Amino acid sequence: MMVQKEKKSQGIFERLLNWTERAGNALPHPATLFALFALGALVFSLVGHLLGWEVIHPGTKEIVRPVNLLSKEGIHRILLEMVDNYTGFAPLGIVMVAMLGIGIAEKSGLVHTVIRLLVLNSPRHLLTFVIVFTGILSNVASDIGYVLLIPMAGVIFLAVGRHPIAGMAAAFAGVSGGFSANLVLGTIDPLLAGLSEEAARILDPSYHVNPTANYYFMVVSTVVIAFAGTFVTEKLVEPRLGKYTGETEEAEMSFNRLSKNEKKGLLMAGLAFLVILAVTLIGIIPENGFFRGVDGGLMSSPLIKGVVAMLFITAGAMGLAYGFATGEFKNDVDVMKGLAGSMKTLATYLVLVFFAAQFVAYFKWSNLGIIMAVKGADFLMSANIGLIPLMILFILLSASINMLMGSASAKWAILAPIFIPMFMIMGYSPELSQVVFRIGDSVTNVISPMMSFFALIIAFFQKYEPKTGIGTIVAAMLPYSIVFLVIWIVLLIVWLLLGIPLGPGAGIHYNIPA
C-alpha cells in the first residue's frame, strides 16, 4: 500500500510539472512576453493613477503614488531613455565582458580540456553534489556562476551520459536558489548589513549590524542546500527529463585522455594563473596594497567589486597561454575570432534583454513595485501571531515579492525599515529579520522571470532544447524551489528553538535599551 501510494503521489507531481511546462510554453516567446509585461506596466500605471492608489514609503515617510507613464511626461521619458534602459541594464555588461574572456578560453580549447580533466578525475557519484555546492560557493564572486558554471555543468553532464538540462538545473539551483548560503562572505553581505543597520537605527541610533550577521546560519545552509539540491536533481528532475537524444557537437562528447600537447597547454595556462595570483596577493596582503579598497579593507577592494573584470583578465590570459602553447592560436586574428564567437552565443539573450530592460524600467518608474511590496508588508504586519508563524509568513512574503522585483538590495531597502523596527519592538534582532528575508529572497529566484539572469538561463537551455520557454525553466526548477523552501523553514525553526546565534555576536533576540 505504501509503495502504491508513493507511485501515485509521484505521478500527480509529475503531471503537475508537465502541466506547468505546457502552460508556460504555451505563452508567447519570452521576448514577446517581456514586451507584453512592459505594456502591462504602462497600462497599470494609468489604472493606479486614476484609482488613486497610494502607500507611505517606510523609509522616507513620503506618500508614494503610481506615476502615469502614459502621460505626456511619461511618453517623453519612454522615448528618451529607451536606449539607456537597454545599455544600462546591469546584467548585460556583466555577461558580455565575462563572455569575452570566457570566449578566448573556450576558443583556445582550455575550457574543454579542463572539463575533460574534471570529468576524468571526479567520482561520478559525487558529480551532482559538487556542481550544486560549487554553484553556492560561486556567489562570493558576484554573478560568475551564471555566466560560467551553468553552461559548463550542462557540458559536464552531457559528457558523462546524463541529461545536460539536469546539469544546468543543478548548477542554477546552487547559484540562484542557494543565494543566501555560502562558506565565505560575498558582496551582498555588507550591502544588506548596511541597509539593516540603517533600519535598526530608526529605533536604536547606536545599533550596528556586521556583514557577518548571518554567517553561522549561512555555513550550515550551504551544506543543507547542497544535499537538498543533489536529491532534487537525481530523484525528481533528472528522471523526468529522461535520456538526452538531441544533437551534440563532437568536441563536447570527446573525453579521451589528455594529449602531451594539451598537458603542455595546461602547464602554460597554470603559469599564467600563478602570475595573476602572485600579483593579486602582492596587492592585497600589505595593509596599503594597491588592490585594497579606499578604506583599506578587502570587501571594498576592486577585486571584489570588479570581479567580472578579473574574470575577463584571468580567463583571457589563461586562454591565450593555452592557445599559443598548443598551436590553436597562431596570431591575433585567431584570438579575435574567439572573441567574436563568444558573442554569437549571446544573440538570443541580447534580444530578450532589450524587452526585459524596458519592463524593469517601467515597473520601477511607475512605483508599482514599491506599492505592491508595501501593501504585502502591511498585510503581514496585521497578523498578530507567534514568532515561528510570523517568520514563516515573512519568508512567504519575501518569496512572493521576489517574483515581482529582482534586486535583493532594492527589496530589502523597502522591507527593512518596516520589519526590522517592528521585530525589534517585539524583541527580535535585526539579524533575524535579515536572515528570514534572505531565505525568502533565495527560494523563488529560480522560478522568477524578474530575476536578472532568467533570460540568459533560457538561452543556455535552448542550446540543448531549442523549444525551451519560460514554462520549461519553471517546470525544471519548481521542485528545487519547493524543497529549498521547506528545508530552509525547517532549519530556521530548529535554529529558533535551539536559540543558536545567527553569526558572531548576532543573537536572535533584542533587548530595547532602557
Side-chain angles (χ1 to χ4, degrees):
M1 292 297 291
M2 290 294 290
V3 174
Q4 291 178 352
K5 183 176 181 181
E6 183 179 345
K7 288 183 178 179
K8 183 178 179 181
S9 63
Q10 288 179 348
I12 292 173
F13 186 65
E14 186 172 346
R15 285 197 295 272
L16 173 62
L17 293 179
N18 290 336
W19 179 87
T20 301
E21 180 173 1
R22 287 194 300 270
N25 288 341
L27 296 171
H29 187 279
T32 306
L33 200 58
F34 278 119
L36 293 174
F37 284 164
L39 291 174
L42 298 180
V43 172
F44 277 101
S45 72
L46 173 61
V47 172
H49 173 73
L50 295 176
L51 294 179
W53 295 346
E54 62 179 41
V55 296
I56 297 177
H57 193 287
T60 63
K61 304 302 180 184
E62 296 178 352
I63 296 177
V64 178
R65 298 184 178 91
V67 175
N68 179 16
L69 297 180
L70 293 178
S71 63
K72 177 181 177 180
E73 294 78 9
I75 293 173
H76 285 192
R77 187 175 188 184
I78 290 169
L79 295 176
L80 292 173
E81 299 188 31
M82 182 176 291
V83 175
D84 290 340
N85 292 342
Y86 185 37
T87 58
F89 193 59
L92 180 62
I94 292 172
V95 171
M96 293 185 71
V97 172
M99 288 300 291
L100 284 172
I102 294 168
I104 297 175
E106 190 172 26
K107 183 64 176 179
S108 71
L110 174 62
V111 173
H112 179 60
T113 301
V114 170
I115 291 173
R116 283 168 55 201
L117 192 64
L118 287 173
V119 171
L120 291 170
N121 292 280
S122 298
R124 300 292 176 90
H125 66 282
L126 293 178
L127 187 58
T128 307
F129 178 84
V130 169
I131 286 177
V132 178
F133 186 74
T134 305
I136 296 172
L137 295 186
S138 72
N139 289 319
V140 71
S142 186
D143 302 310
I144 299 306
Y146 291 104
V147 297
L148 180 61
L149 180 64
I150 293 174
M152 185 180 290
V155 176
I156 292 174
F157 262 52
L158 183 62
V160 298
R162 298 173 65 179
H163 204 295
I165 298 295
M168 289 194 288
F172 185 28
V175 173
S176 196
F179 186 67
S180 288
N182 218 310
L183 299 181
V184 292
L185 298 180
T187 54
I188 192 66
D189 296 287
L191 181 59
L192 294 183
L195 294 170
S196 297
E197 183 174 298
E198 289 299 318
R201 289 182 174 181
I202 294 174
L203 188 66
D204 184 350
S206 63
Y207 202 92
H208 177 64
V209 179
N210 239 308
T212 59
N214 304 142
Y215 183 69
Y216 297 158
F217 190 85
M218 285 169 52
V219 169
V220 176
S221 295
T222 302
V223 179
V224 171
I225 293 301
F227 276 110
T230 302
F231 171 81
V232 173
T233 302
E234 297 183 347
K235 301 300 181 182
L236 299 177
V237 173
E238 199 165 6
R240 177 175 175 270
L241 292 170
K243 184 176 178 60
Y244 181 68
T245 57
E247 296 182 2
T248 58
E249 296 181 8
E250 185 177 348
E252 288 185 333
M253 296 300 293
S254 174
F255 273 76
N256 299 321
R257 293 290 172 182
L258 301 187
S259 67
K260 184 177 180 180
N261 201 35
E262 289 171 329
K263 291 178 180 178
K264 176 185 174 183
L266 284 178
L267 176 61
M268 298 307 296
L271 290 175
F273 175 77
L274 289 176
V275 170
I276 294 173
L277 179 62
V279 173
T280 302
L281 292 176
I282 292 171
I284 63 174
I285 290 178
E287 291 185 1
N288 61 343
F290 55 85
F291 273 148
R292 290 267 183 172
V294 292
D295 59 354
L298 291 179
M299 295 310 298
S300 58
S301 164
L303 292 177
I304 300 297
K305 294 185 175 181
V307 68
V308 174
M310 287 301 299
L311 172 66
F312 168 75
I313 294 170
T314 305
M318 293 177 67
L320 289 172
Y322 181 91
F324 282 109
T326 59
E328 185 67 31
F329 290 156
K330 302 291 193 305
N331 49 46
D332 63 308
V333 175
D334 294 333
V335 177
M336 293 306 134
K337 286 182 179 178
L339 291 171
S342 66
M343 290 296 99
K344 291 178 182 177
T345 62
L346 292 178
T348 301
Y349 177 66
L350 294 177
V351 175
L352 286 170
V353 162
F354 173 77
F355 295 103
Q358 306 310 319
F359 166 57
V360 171
Y362 300 164
F363 204 63
K364 179 181 179 181
W365 296 347
S366 66
N367 287 335
L368 291 175
I370 294 176
I371 291 171
M372 296 174 74
V374 173
K375 288 290 187 182
D378 288 342
F379 167 75
L380 185 55
M381 288 177 64
S382 65
N384 186 20
I385 53 180
L387 171 61
I388 290 176
L390 184 62
M391 293 299 120
I392 293 174
L393 279 178
F394 190 23
I395 290 173
L396 296 177
L397 174 68
S398 301
S400 300
I401 292 176
N402 194 38
M403 299 294 290
L404 302 171
M405 298 176 65
S407 169
S409 58
K411 291 189 292 288
W412 193 225
I414 294 170
L415 296 179
I418 297 174
F419 290 101
I420 283 183
M422 179 184 72
F423 290 156
M424 288 172 72
I425 292 172
M426 296 172 65
Y428 307 122
S429 70
E431 291 83 357
L432 175 60
S433 303
Q434 180 178 291
V435 81
V436 173
F437 163 76
R438 295 183 71 173
I439 293 172
D441 183 60
S442 290
V443 295
T444 50
N445 271 340
V446 292
I447 59 172
S448 172
M450 288 298 294
M451 196 272 294
S452 300
F453 289 90
F454 200 84
L456 181 65
I457 305 304
I458 293 175
F460 285 152
F461 275 46
Q462 286 177 342
K463 177 180 180 181
Y464 302 103
E465 297 289 352
K467 295 183 179 180
T468 291
I470 290 178
T472 307
I473 306 294
V474 173
M477 303 311 299
L478 186 60
Y480 294 102
S481 189
I482 294 172
V483 171
F484 285 8
L485 175 64
V486 173
I487 291 292
W488 244 324
I489 287 177
V490 171
L491 177 62
L492 179 66
I493 291 174
V494 172
W495 208 280
L496 294 175
L497 292 176
L498 295 177
I500 304 171
L502 297 166
I508 293 171
H509 297 283
Y510 168 78
N511 295 319
I512 300 176

